[in-house]
Amino acid sequence: MTGSDPYGRAIHDHQRGKRERPLLERNGDETREHPIERFYFTGFSGSEWIESVFDGPLLDIGAGAGRHALYFQERFETVAIDVSERLVKTMRERGVEDARCVDMFALGETFGRDRFCSAFSYGTQVGLAGSMDGLRRFLADLAFVTTPEARTVLDAYDPNHKGAIDLLGYRADPTPGLAYRLYWFEYDGDVSEPLLFRLFSPNRFQEAAIGTGWRVTEIRREPEEGHHYRALLTKP
């Protein structure tokens, strides 16, 4: 987030018990309340699949309020990053041991080669790569900072699934397997810059991974939201 950061401010206010207004997602006249408590402050208990994938050191990308980092740091070294300084402050207040203000699209400028054994990003932030080329650059950057045996899990929305059209700010694209999503946040009079996400189908995700050092080896969909999926990427 940049500028006034209503997103980070609302979550930080919630952490301190000072939030009196909702955090809103807006697209034109359409408005929805962002579920802060459910998304960021419920406990994370892991899963058999996730436990089998990750090993430390782990890079938690776009870590938000540190929900996942708090769980994983009890098992191995975990570095939690977010572009919002307020969210980094929130994570530290909640007990995240290594929370840093880092742009996920500048990993190679921040960390050395082979720094992490696994990586995780939950929240569909990878869509902010904006294009197939942007996704390729991000994956190549991520490959640089992870070991040759590393595995990563990234989540995204599948524009080919019928449920995607119900996403706030959904924009269709004639290109197969691609779409856009555009919306912004508003909190207590502050309005964020518009956020433009590129939506990639699993096949498009696999296509973008070619030549980056990664390949998509498994896709898992959320049981109640088939358009929301997690992609497991491994190195050939």
Side-chain angles (χ1 to χ4, degrees), residues 3 10 18 42 51 53 58 63 71-72 75 84 104 116 139 149 153 182-183 203-204 206 231 236:
K18 296 184 177 181
T42 56
E51 295 290 348
V53 168
L58 168 71
Y71 176 84
F72 288 117
R75 288 147 181 81
S84 166
M104 65 180 285
F116 300 99
L139 293 176
E149 299 80 22
V153 173
L182 176 69
Y183 68 97
N203 285 342
R204 285 293 188 176
Q206 176 66 77

Side-chain angles (χ1 to χ4, degrees), residues 1-13 23 64 82-90 101 185-193 195:
M1 298 291 176
T2 59
S4 60
D5 188 13
Y7 174 81
R9 188 162 71 89
I11 294 172
H12 190 220
D13 281 355
L23 174 63
D82 203 286
V83 74
S84 166
E85 293 180 357
R86 287 188 176 91
L87 290 181
V88 172
K89 187 174 182 178
T90 300
C101 190
F185 286 106
E186 182 176 332
Y187 173 67
D188 194 24
D190 286 344
V191 180
S192 74
E193 294 294 325
L195 298 170

Side-chain angles (χ1 to χ4, degrees), residues 17-93:
K18 296 184 177 181
R19 184 173 67 87
E20 298 180 352
R21 298 176 182 273
L23 174 63
L24 302 176
E25 303 172 2
R26 303 197 64 178
N27 173 53
D29 294 331
E30 189 176 6
T31 302
R32 298 179 186 176
E33 182 173 349
H34 194 69
I36 290 179
E37 179 67 28
R38 179 165 62 90
F39 277 10
Y40 308 103
F41 292 93
T42 56
F44 177 69
S45 59
S47 70
E48 183 177 349
W49 182 60
I50 289 293
E51 295 290 348
S52 69
V53 168
F54 293 151
D55 194 6
L58 168 71
L59 179 63
D60 186 355
I61 302 169
R67 176 172 174 253
H68 300 102
L70 287 168
Y71 176 84
F72 288 117
Q73 72 181 14
E74 298 299 320
R75 288 147 181 81
F76 37 68
E77 180 190 358
T78 300
V79 177
I81 65 170
D82 203 286
V83 74
S84 166
E85 293 180 357
R86 287 188 176 91
L87 290 181
V88 172
K89 187 174 182 178
T90 300
M91 285 192 277
R92 290 171 178 167
E93 290 175 358

Side-chain angles (χ1 to χ4, degrees), residues 39-188:
F39 277 10
Y40 308 103
F41 292 93
T42 56
F44 177 69
S45 59
S47 70
E48 183 177 349
W49 182 60
I50 289 293
E51 295 290 348
S52 69
V53 168
F54 293 151
D55 194 6
L58 168 71
L59 179 63
D60 186 355
I61 302 169
R67 176 172 174 253
H68 300 102
L70 287 168
Y71 176 84
F72 288 117
Q73 72 181 14
E74 298 299 320
R75 288 147 181 81
F76 37 68
E77 180 190 358
T78 300
V79 177
I81 65 170
D82 203 286
V83 74
S84 166
E85 293 180 357
R86 287 188 176 91
L87 290 181
V88 172
K89 187 174 182 178
T90 300
M91 285 192 277
R92 290 171 178 167
E93 290 175 358
R94 298 188 71 206
V96 175
E97 296 169 357
D98 192 345
R100 311 183 191 186
C101 190
V102 175
D103 184 345
M104 65 180 285
F105 298 109
L107 297 179
E109 301 172 16
T110 307
F111 301 106
R113 181 184 293 275
D114 299 343
R115 173 65 175 85
F116 300 99
C117 290
S118 50
F120 178 55
S121 180
Y122 189 76
T124 71
Q125 299 97 325
V126 70
L128 292 171
S131 65
M132 290 287 286
D133 284 344
L135 179 56
R136 289 188 188 99
R137 289 193 296 269
F138 168 72
L139 293 176
D141 214 21
L142 184 60
F144 174 81
V145 302
T146 51
T147 62
E149 299 80 22
R151 295 190 284 184
T152 188
V153 173
L154 305 173
D155 77 321
Y157 288 124
D158 181 2
N160 284 347
H161 191 279
K162 62 181 181 180
I165 195 170
D166 294 326
L167 289 168
L168 179 75
Y170 177 83
R171 303 287 196 277
D173 190 305
T175 308
L178 296 174
Y180 286 103
R181 187 185 185 199
L182 176 69
Y183 68 97
W184 56 91
F185 286 106
E186 182 176 332
Y187 173 67
D188 194 24

